[in-house]
Amino acid sequence: MPVKQNNELKVWQRRDRNHQLRVWFMYLVGVAIFMYCWFVISESTTWYFVYDAPRIAADIGGRAWPPRWSYLSELWEPLWDTINVATIGTALALVFAVPVAFLAARNTTPNKTFLRPLALLIIVSSRSINSLIWALLLVSVIGPGIFAGTIAIALRSIGFTAKLLYEAIEEIDANQVEAITATGASRAQVIVYGIIPQIMPAFAGIVVFRWDINIRESTVLGLVGAGGIGLQLQSSLNILAWPQVTVILSLILVAVIISEWVSAKVRHAII
Amino acid sequence: MISNPALRYGLLLGTLIYLYFAVGSYDVNWSRVYEGLDRGWKFIAAFSHPDFSTRWTDISEGLWESVIMTVTSTVAGIAISIPIALGAASNLAPKPVYLLCRGIIAVSRALHEIIVAILMVAIFGFGPLAGFITLSFATIGFLAKLLAEDIEDMDRTQAEAIKATGAGWLQWINYGVQPQVMPRLIGLSIYRFDINFRESAVLGLVGAGGVGATLNTAFDRYEFDTAAAIIIAIIVIVMALEYTSSIVRARVQ
């Protein structure tokens, strides 16, 4: 513990001089990086627009109020589509995510040198690409509509659910698996009776959690043409119909809050 | 799992009815899908020969802008999140402050980044500033919520000991609370840095800066080899970030 001699007085310090200088230097580097990044952003910003922003915001706010509630009647069908995109997308993702998770888990993978890295690669590439990018790609490949949106949601969800699921599989109690194996069960029987009952609660939790996220994501897929309520949002924005935008945003907010509430309830009931 | 058979079969039946109606509302143009398969295959094939060179300036500028937006918005987001997290911890804040801060967190979590970005672009104009504000705002919902939960879980006796020495409110926070939540805060910040990069890659779709605009153009022109190059670049950066963040998180926690 470094102690500084100040005349007669001994003063305790947390770090000695060199260590303290190094810490300050790190702070300096951090601040310099931030300032540089901020400088770049500032360079590519038209500050005139930013000074004008409060007026613009007030203007948009003024146009958006009162909301045109009669528009709500045209929104039920897109909302139904949006929920379907999220739900069917989650279900489709599970069909692929479960086998991938079993291939990726260290204790269940049949082949550590080839299949496990392959499964991990599937998980990583599915996770790193945002569902909007998947939707963009699918709209350009199979055409616009909720089918493209569903596949996009499914592709994005595979990585997420498979990752959480394989971590759950790796944390199971090996004794139970051993007990089932000792009875002479085949590999498939071990999975069904030894592993699945142990991961079932985690699995259900992961599914509703992802479903909740997917509701949120499917509301914006329409912006790139993949169907749902985002399509209405895009067209309302294009014609600057701000009262309609208010209605759509409120509906999205309500849908997201309800889905979050449902998912929290279900997870609470399981755990 | 569900012991009541009526509920179990009821749920199953309900699911089947839902599936029937949900799948029925799909209107898939199979001939269009079939035509598209050819293009889909071209896209997959493009991953074997990604084209980094043709649009290299656009790609590198876009990626650089994404990284810069990520850095600034994560720093700003953390700076805003900490006071909000203190306000949203029920054991520190009085009731009105608690409700206000929880309200901010709820709004930030409920609105998707892209929707916020659209509004910000409308208000602040095109460019990375709109993306910066969007990501900073989105960071609050994530960081402040998890940090507030960590503060609520902290050990009360340590905080009380500091208070017993006659510390003021700021000293109490700094010496009684902050050391307990610091490891978690660092871990969450690094994780959020990760997420912000991923999100910044799509903000360009609505004009809020970053590589998304280049990607959008590439898809619109069916330049799949350029699109593949951008996606590969994103995946590589995300993997590198995830790898470093896992190392740092393992060290602090």
Side-chain angles (χ1 to χ4, degrees), chain B residues 14-216:
Chain B
T15 312
L16 285 179
I17 292 174
Y18 167 74
L19 275 182
Y20 174 75
F21 281 106
V23 173
S25 72
Y26 274 65
D27 178 22
V28 184
N29 184 350
W30 287 110
S31 63
R32 174 71 177 81
V33 173
Y34 186 72
E35 271 171 44
L37 286 182
D38 193 32
R39 232 174 291 152
W41 175 244
K42 243 186 244 162
F43 176 74
I44 293 167
F47 273 97
S48 61
H49 53 88
D51 178 10
F52 286 96
S53 52
T54 320
R55 311 233 168 261
W56 176 241
T57 42
D58 288 337
I59 297 174
S60 58
E61 274 172 17
L63 283 173
W64 187 230
E65 205 170 68
S66 285
V67 171
I68 279 173
M69 268 159 49
T70 312
V71 172
T72 44
S73 64
T74 311
V75 173
I78 295 167
I80 308 166
S81 297
I82 291 172
I84 292 183
L86 289 174
S90 55
N91 51 353
L92 297 184
K95 199 79 186 174
V97 178
Y98 171 78
L99 289 177
L100 175 72
C101 291
R102 284 282 163 178
I104 296 174
I105 292 173
V107 171
S108 157
R109 276 167 54 77
L111 289 177
H112 195 279
E113 279 92 343
I114 291 289
I115 295 179
V116 179
I118 291 172
L119 295 176
M120 292 305 142
V121 168
I123 293 173
F124 293 99
F126 290 101
L129 184 74
F132 159 73
I133 294 171
T134 306
L135 290 177
S136 307
F137 180 67
T139 305
I140 297 171
F142 174 86
L143 205 68
K145 179 171 192 278
L146 295 175
L147 190 60
E149 276 161 14
D150 202 45
I151 295 176
E152 285 172 352
D153 286 343
M154 74 174 182
D155 183 5
R156 299 190 71 90
T157 50
Q158 287 185 37
E160 219 162 279
I162 300 289
K163 219 169 198 179
T165 64
W169 191 81
L170 269 181
Q171 286 172 322
W172 178 52
I173 296 292
N174 195 19
Y175 296 102
V177 180
Q178 176 261 1
Q180 294 194 48
V181 297
M182 206 54 191
R184 181 100 167 118
L185 176 62
I186 294 173
L188 287 175
S189 307
I190 292 165
Y191 185 38
R192 186 64 214 187
F193 187 82
D194 235 44
I195 301 176
N196 275 350
F197 179 76
R198 251 176 264 197
E199 294 295 332
S200 74
V202 293
L203 291 182
L205 297 182
V206 294
V211 76
T214 319
L215 189 62
N216 198 7

Side-chain angles (χ1 to χ4, degrees), chain A residues 112-176:
Chain A
K112 273 203 176 83
T113 50
F114 177 67
L115 283 179
R116 181 160 189 270
L118 183 72
L120 289 179
L121 181 73
I122 293 175
I123 291 176
V124 160
S125 40
S126 149
R127 263 162 51 80
S128 7
I129 301 178
N130 200 293
S131 51
L132 266 173
I133 297 182
W134 281 121
L136 202 64
L137 160 68
L138 286 160
V139 166
S140 109
V141 167
I142 58 176
I146 55 174
F147 186 58
T150 311
I151 308 280
I153 288 284
L155 283 174
R156 173 69 176 84
S157 307
I158 289 175
F160 182 92
T161 39
K163 180 177 180 351
L164 292 179
L165 197 58
Y166 98 75
E167 284 170 354
I169 296 174
E170 284 184 350
E171 281 167 16
I172 57 169
D173 181 8
N175 290 335
Q176 296 185 32

